[in-house]
Amino acid sequence: MEVARESGDAELIRVLHEQHGAALWAVALRTTADRGRAQDAVQETLLRAWRHPAALDPSRGDPRPWLLRTLRNVLIDEWRSRAARPELLSDDPVGAESGTAPGAHTVTDHAEAAVQAWTVAAALDRLSPEHRAVIVECYYGGRTVGEAAAVLGIPAGTVKSRVHYGLRALRLALEEMGVGT
């Protein structure tokens, strides 16, 4: 019985990938601009679909909206994870030849983080107060859409819309500042 389930699971994932993989990949790549991160996000989305077969029940309709929403959640989770633990790059492997203990941070690491924070703050200052408020609440405050809506006194749909357009404006502001080009 277990062998039959495994072959059915493999078939489910194959069919999902065949029918929805290209759309998921396009959204993930456009969002991340990183092929590796996009592949990881699509794989995680399909894994979550496999774990929640009820969401794919044909009686519920087309599973693509559920898959795209799940992909969005995966990308947000990944972005928040990176924001909480930013990658600090160095020419020197951790502790190698420098005599520093593993995990020790150099002045350069802190200076780079400070410059990055100032750059993002300057880009945020270029946004409208409404867009800036929802981005700060959702990404820096770690609030859900509902929580941000309650704090800001606006409908949840408005928060979603402002986050969407605010992130687009933030990306444009960073590009105008020469970041990411």
Side-chain angles (χ1 to χ4, degrees):
M1 183 70 174
E2 189 63 33
V3 173
R5 181 181 172 343
E6 288 176 11
S7 65
D9 290 347
E11 180 66 14
L12 171 67
I13 295 297
R14 187 192 65 72
V15 168
L16 281 175
H17 189 270
E18 186 177 284
Q19 293 177 351
H20 306 285
L24 294 171
W25 166 254
V27 170
L29 186 59
R30 187 175 63 238
T31 303
T32 65
D34 181 310
R35 295 178 69 81
R37 288 174 53 203
Q39 288 172 345
D40 289 346
V42 170
Q43 183 177 8
E44 177 63 24
T45 300
L46 292 175
L47 181 62
R48 289 184 186 185
W50 174 74
R51 289 180 183 155
H52 299 95
L56 307 173
D57 183 0
S59 67
R60 294 181 69 176
D62 185 13
R64 186 168 288 183
W66 185 90
L67 290 167
L68 289 170
R69 187 172 52 252
T70 301
L71 174 65
R72 176 185 171 275
N73 292 341
V74 166
L75 292 169
I76 289 171
D77 291 348
E78 189 264 346
W79 183 86
R80 285 181 176 166
S81 174
R82 284 178 180 259
R85 294 184 311 275
E87 295 178 16
L88 298 175
L89 302 177
S90 170
D91 294 336
D92 182 24
V94 178
E97 298 184 31
S98 66
T100 60
H105 297 284
T106 64
V107 172
T108 306
D109 294 337
H110 293 292
E112 181 65 29
V115 168
Q116 199 173 44
W118 290 327
T119 304
V120 172
L124 280 169
D125 284 342
R126 294 181 176 197
L127 301 182
S128 70
E130 295 82 7
H131 288 138
R132 183 174 42 253
V134 296
I135 289 174
V136 168
E137 290 299 328
C138 292
Y139 289 97
Y140 290 96
R143 290 187 169 81
T144 65
V145 169
E147 292 168 341
V151 167
L152 297 171
I154 57 177
T158 303
V159 171
K160 289 179 186 179
S161 176
R162 287 182 184 173
V163 165
H164 173 78
Y165 289 105
L167 289 175
R168 287 177 63 181
L170 182 61
R171 184 178 296 126
L172 180 61
L174 287 167
E175 287 174 3
E176 288 174 351
M177 295 169 65
V179 177
T181 57

